[in-house]
Amino acid sequence: MSLSKDEACKSSSPRENGFPDHVSLANLEKALGDLRVETPVHNTDDHLIEFSEALRTVAKALRRAAEGKVSAQAEAAEWKRKYELERARNQQLELIEDSCGRQNGSVASNLTGEISGPHPMVDYESNGQQERCCAGDGICSHEVLFDNEAGSLSGDSQNKMKRKASFKLSWRCKGEKSNQYKHDIVSFEKGNISTAGRTSKQISLKWESPPQTVLILTKPNSASVRVICLEMVRWLKEQKNVNVYVEPRVKSELLNASSFFGFVKTWQDESEISPLHTKVDLVVTLGGDGTVLWAASMFKGSVPPIVPFSLGSLGFMTPFYSERYKECLDAILKGPISITLRHRLQCHVIRDSARNEYETEGPILVLNEVTIDRGISSYLTNLECYCDNSFVTSVQGDGLILSTTSGSTAYSLAAGGSMVHPQVPGILFTPICPHSLSFRPLILPEHVTLRVQVPFNSRSPAWASFDGKDRKQLAAGDALVCSMAPWPVPTACLGDSTADFLRSIQDDLHWNLRKTQSFDGPREQL
């Protein structure tokens, strides 16, 4: 079968929008198929077969492009329809507002230019307009403000009143109302917004009743920690008469030292750890930052206040000195104490085989960071990142770190991220050795949800680790979803949260430590 010149031109001629129509593409594919069927294979040149296959591929690509454009045009038409509806609704609200304003003007003119009452705001709840405008949280423009400051109503402007639309601010989480992110810190007066900083003040904890139970968690395989733990348990029982919980391993060590420690309580299996937060008033950690991470990982929900004693190599979260544990614990048990609320990330793994987004693995709570890297693979990691369903970027490099502000001085700092105060609510987005010089770290707000997905064209799987453990493989199509957990980790402060943070980066990192410039050099002439 062969095509005439006119038929070939007609079948491949584009439409006015730049794409061939579906009928022409179907005819072209049918003609190519007939050509292959009717022509004997032994009399056909191989190049002609390759050329027909190429034409078939081009025809399929053109069909997909045409279908994509039709879908885009339909979506644009839908958005245009929504825009017209919204525009009509706004025009209707403006007409209602203008009519209310004219009624106000007639009423105000009878008041000889004076406005009575302490509030410069006129409310129209009586006519039902409040419900119409405030049904969806956002901007409310039905209220009218008048400026009645001294001198504003003198002379010719005595009967002229300045109108100013009022509005209402509300917090939303993913487009829905949520008490978790509701803060009554916004005030409104004559169109001015003022807020009270949520992290501007030091958080204090005051006991309403004396603590009765203390959980002690220790660093394993340390002789010095074992000695301090033995002395602390004895002192808490004899001097403070409190109940003491320890890990099964620690209880065995205490009983081997003396039968006196038979009063110490522990748990038998993992099922007894879940309700532990309902029994424990205070958690004491003896070790370094790793012991604090272990203590936080034991509680999948609410976490009791943690008193971290420094017995490790680094102590960004351990401000208390073990040598003075009696003095420190005595003050903490009496209260009040300053605490730092350290935010945690809540992570879920969604497999490609999942039937919906609710079929997940998790949740997994992390105090420092979740790391997605290439593992032992020699290929670069390929990751697609989304923030609240908005595409952020594609990561090509060794991996990505999603860190809390408490973990800003850990792996994220080594990868080039910023040091952030632990009480600042945010999520650090730090690439690991990116294959781009312009890929710089980000700090995102606390309310966003991040989604990191391994694309189907990735050359190798990725690996996710949570606070350096619980490593999981992410195959092509798998995704990791992270958001701020509603249960922070309260840690006691030696002084206050800012002083402890600055001391930690100065003592542990020797931040900006340099020799003082000598005074022997030449001086500037005044």
Side-chain angles (χ1 to χ4, degrees), residues 52-224:
S52 64
E53 291 293 342
L55 287 179
R56 183 187 297 273
T57 303
V58 171
K60 290 182 179 179
L62 291 175
R63 171 177 289 182
R64 285 195 296 267
E67 292 175 352
K69 184 169 184 180
V70 170
S71 176
Q73 289 175 346
E75 185 177 359
E78 178 65 17
W79 279 109
K80 183 178 180 181
R81 185 184 66 82
K82 291 182 180 179
Y83 169 75
E84 295 295 339
L85 291 176
E86 184 69 17
R87 183 180 179 183
R89 189 180 70 86
N90 291 337
Q91 289 177 352
Q92 184 178 2
L93 291 178
E94 289 178 0
L95 292 176
I96 296 175
E97 181 185 0
D98 291 340
S99 62
C100 293
R102 286 193 296 269
Q103 293 176 6
N104 264 337
S106 61
V107 173
S109 61
N110 296 327
L111 299 178
T112 64
E114 295 182 359
I115 302 175
S116 61
H119 302 287
M121 184 183 299
V122 178
D123 197 356
Y124 292 98
E125 294 185 1
S126 58
N127 59 9
Q129 189 174 346
Q130 171 83 13
E131 297 179 358
R132 290 196 300 271
C133 296
C134 297
D137 293 340
I139 297 177
C140 296
S141 59
H142 63 279
E143 297 172 345
V144 180
L145 294 180
F146 301 97
D147 190 354
N148 60 346
E149 294 180 357
S152 63
L153 299 178
S154 62
D156 297 336
S157 62
Q158 192 172 20
N159 294 325
K160 296 180 180 179
M161 301 180 186
K162 297 180 180 179
R163 293 177 50 212
K164 192 173 183 64
S166 70
F167 50 82
K168 182 177 67 174
L169 299 182
S170 62
W171 268 254
R172 285 178 176 270
C173 178
K174 304 175 186 175
E176 300 177 356
K177 291 183 179 180
S178 174
N179 293 328
Q180 179 183 348
Y181 298 101
K182 182 178 180 181
H183 306 280
D184 298 327
I185 61 173
V186 175
S187 62
F188 172 78
E189 184 179 359
K190 295 183 181 179
N192 300 319
I193 301 174
S194 62
T195 63
R198 290 180 291 169
T199 58
S200 60
K201 296 182 180 179
Q202 173 63 49
I203 302 174
S204 179
L205 186 148
K206 184 177 181 179
W207 301 108
E208 295 183 355
S209 60
Q212 299 295 324
T213 305
V214 176
L215 169 63
I216 300 179
L217 300 176
T218 64
K219 176 183 177 181
N221 303 322
S222 174
S224 59

Side-chain angles (χ1 to χ4, degrees), residues 36-57:
R36 293 193 56 188
V37 172
E38 296 180 3
T39 305
V41 178
H42 60 275
N43 294 330
T44 304
D45 187 39
D46 292 339
H47 295 289
L48 181 59
I49 297 177
E50 294 179 359
F51 178 69
S52 64
E53 291 293 342
L55 287 179
R56 183 187 297 273
T57 303

Side-chain angles (χ1 to χ4, degrees), residues 228-264:
I228 293 293
C229 178
L230 188 146
E231 296 178 358
M232 183 180 293
V233 171
R234 184 186 296 272
W235 180 81
L236 286 173
K237 183 61 178 178
E238 294 179 347
Q239 302 297 325
K240 298 300 178 180
N241 193 25
V242 298
N243 300 319
V244 179
Y245 270 85
V246 296
E247 298 173 87
R249 168 185 56 84
V250 178
K251 183 174 182 179
S252 300
E253 296 175 354
L254 294 175
L255 291 177
N256 290 334
S258 173
S259 59
F260 169 80
F261 298 102
F263 65 89
V264 175

